[in-house]
Amino acid sequence: MAAVLRTGLRILIIAVLIGPVLLGLAQTLGAAFGWLPALGERSIGLAPWRTLLDQPGLATSIQLTLWTGLSATGFGFALAFALVASLHGRSIGRSLMPWLAPFLAAPHAAIAIGLAFILAPSGWLLRLVAAPLDLTRPPDWALVGDPMGIGLILGLLVKEVPFLALIMSASVSHLPVQRWLVQAGSLGYSRSAAWIRVVLPLMWPQIRLPTLIVLSYALSNVDMALILGPANPPVLAVTVLRA
């Protein structure tokens, strides 16, 4: 009887966890093929896909999406890992980490707008160096809306590096990192090599899901892409929104 109850409890927990995901996936697939009753669309067919494939610059949009999403996630992971590794076990690290929390509460669009004011050709960053460098006009290049998506990558880094750093910091607080570093040092590894070869593989199972969440957002964000991303053509999420 106890075994049956445990099995039923497991099934119930799995259904509660997976059920909303499956419902969301079903609604997404329905909308992809034209079934969207909230907007009065009740005919199932390939018309939405034809509309998407007819969008100009679709291949470039997909390339930009992969480039910006993978780059932001990769660089963000590396920067967050380097930050946690360099500050671990130091008093400055314990005092610095709480200052990263406000970045999590800040809306993505607000960060994008603030970064646009900083990185624009006539923005605050250029104004700080205009007088010392005797600059009288804005430069010809721009990081906001650039065709390579550099501004979008920077915006994603500003938002996601604090998130990943806090996740990694919480993860290493539950691991015997100091003991591993001492053992790796006794085998001739430097501190950085020990973090990469010993700590990171053992920490990865705990931070894998947050990293995938960051990747999924970087590949599908709309608000930051509208403000900082390339516009002609835009990334795939903006293309789908406009289609």
Side-chain angles (χ1 to χ4, degrees):
M1 185 65 179
V4 174
L5 289 176
R6 285 196 297 269
T7 302
L9 183 60
R10 289 196 192 98
I11 295 175
L12 178 62
I13 292 174
I14 293 174
V16 170
L17 294 177
I18 299 181
V21 177
L22 294 179
L23 288 175
L25 181 61
Q27 291 183 350
T28 301
L29 290 175
F33 289 95
W35 179 262
L36 198 59
L39 298 180
E41 299 291 339
R42 299 179 182 274
S43 60
I44 298 178
L46 297 177
W49 291 95
R50 296 192 187 98
T51 302
L52 176 63
L53 294 176
D54 289 340
Q55 294 298 310
L58 180 62
T60 305
S61 295
I62 296 175
Q63 293 174 2
L64 283 171
T65 300
L66 294 175
W67 158 247
T68 55
L70 294 175
S71 298
T73 304
F75 288 136
F77 187 93
L79 290 173
F81 182 73
L83 180 64
V84 172
S86 60
L87 297 180
H88 179 72
R90 301 178 181 177
S91 59
I92 187 175
R94 289 188 293 270
S95 60
L96 178 62
M97 284 300 170
W99 288 94
L100 299 178
F103 285 91
L104 304 184
H108 290 80
I111 290 181
I113 292 173
L115 196 61
F117 277 113
I118 294 174
L119 298 179
S122 58
W124 297 341
L125 185 61
L126 184 68
R127 296 184 185 210
L128 288 175
V129 299
L133 298 180
D134 195 21
L135 297 176
T136 58
R137 63 182 62 185
D140 295 332
W141 50 266
L143 291 179
V144 178
D146 66 295
M148 290 294 294
I150 304 300
L152 177 57
I153 293 174
L154 292 176
L156 292 171
L157 287 176
V158 171
K159 181 64 179 177
E160 305 304 349
V161 167
F163 170 74
L164 288 173
L166 288 172
I167 292 295
M168 292 180 184
S169 178
S171 174
V172 298
S173 66
H174 296 88
L175 299 174
V177 174
Q178 197 59 41
R179 189 182 71 200
W180 294 342
L181 294 178
V182 172
Q183 293 173 347
S186 65
L187 296 176
Y189 289 103
S190 63
R191 180 181 174 89
S192 58
W195 271 93
I196 295 173
R197 298 192 178 190
V198 179
V199 179
L200 180 58
L202 297 172
M203 181 177 65
W204 171 248
Q206 299 183 21
I207 63 174
R208 175 175 52 202
L209 182 58
T211 304
L212 292 177
I213 292 174
V214 169
L215 176 61
S216 64
Y217 176 78
L219 291 172
S220 61
N221 80 92
V222 175
D223 45 2
M224 298 192 82
L226 284 171
I227 299 170
L228 297 174
N232 190 25
V235 295
L236 183 60
V238 178
T239 300
V240 172
L241 177 67
R242 293 174 177 174

